[in-house]
Amino acid sequence: QRLRQASEYSPNKQLQNLVALLLQTGARKRELLDAKWEDVELERRSWRIPMSKSGKPRHVPLSNAVIDLLKDLPKWSGCPDVVPNPKTLNPYNSIQCSWNTARENAGLKDVRMHDLRHSMASNMVNSGRSIYEVSKILGHSQIKTSQRYAHLAHETLLAAADAASSNWVSS
């Protein structure tokens, strides 16, 4: 929440869109910075990443919240990029300066942009989604990688412990 607020006050007006999309899609920074409208299918709620880290294309399912965000993004005539630099209408080379300012203003000095991908994985697992689903959405070829990304919240673990105890108590 603090990061979202800090990104809203950033002089880089695209930072808030980038942070929101990274948190809600689990995309890698470069995947998002290079995203083109031609690869986004709003009706099918799908984003095709033509070249992922694995060297193969992958498809990212888009939540309704992401679809709403995409529909509200500023668009420039003749610009094929989803979140371009408004000054150049080209993909950002780097947003590190804006990112560093926002995370420091949010009191999150040790948070890396890649950690937003981890947060997405953790949010999915803590919402009851399987590690298999997390792996597919993040484009991991091995479940082991997704397990490193996803961290269970204490509340989720307490709910699991209570669920196990409820069987004991009701017997």
Side-chain angles (χ1 to χ4, degrees):
Q1 195 64 25
R2 294 189 323 254
L3 180 60
R4 186 181 307 161
Q5 191 172 31
S7 68
E8 287 174 14
Y9 292 109
S10 172
N12 179 346
K13 295 305 171 196
Q14 289 285 52
L15 186 64
Q16 66 183 336
N17 297 322
L18 290 164
V19 166
L21 287 167
L22 289 169
L23 271 170
Q24 295 182 61
T25 63
R28 294 175 181 91
K29 174 181 63 173
R30 193 74 255 165
E31 291 172 338
L32 182 57
L33 293 179
D34 292 338
K36 306 280 185 224
W37 283 112
E38 68 189 37
D39 296 319
V40 176
E41 293 186 53
L42 296 176
E43 304 78 34
R44 293 190 65 219
R45 296 176 48 198
S46 181
W47 169 27
R48 181 180 177 271
I49 298 174
M51 182 60 74
S52 67
K53 188 177 173 183
S54 70
K56 296 185 274 186
R58 74 180 181 97
H59 293 269
V60 177
L62 303 174
S63 69
N64 285 318
V66 169
I67 294 295
D68 290 343
L69 178 59
L70 289 170
K71 286 179 179 178
D72 288 342
L73 286 179
K75 294 176 183 69
W76 291 269
S77 180
C79 180
D81 301 300
V82 175
V83 194
N85 180 334
K87 294 176 185 170
T88 65
L89 298 185
N90 289 311
Y92 285 95
N93 290 324
S94 173
I95 56 169
Q96 203 58 42
C97 184
S98 301
W99 167 257
N100 285 337
T101 301
R103 71 183 171 94
E104 287 175 16
N105 288 343
L108 302 167
K109 294 181 194 265
D110 294 332
V111 174
R112 303 166 304 145
M113 200 169 301
H114 194 73
D115 292 334
L116 302 181
R117 187 166 158 83
H118 291 242
S119 294
M120 168 65 160
S122 295
N123 289 340
M124 284 189 283
V125 168
N126 286 306
S127 297
R129 308 318 305 189
S130 74
I131 199 69
Y132 179 74
E133 291 168 306
V134 172
S135 180
K136 286 302 217 183
I137 288 175
L138 295 183
H140 290 149
S141 58
Q142 296 181 5
I143 298 282
K144 202 164 47 171
T145 306
S146 301
Q147 288 173 320
R148 285 198 335 260
Y149 273 56
H151 306 285
L152 290 170
H154 184 66
E155 293 77 19
T156 303
L157 296 172
L158 286 174
D162 285 343
S165 292
S166 69
N167 287 334
W168 176 262
V169 174
S170 61
S171 298

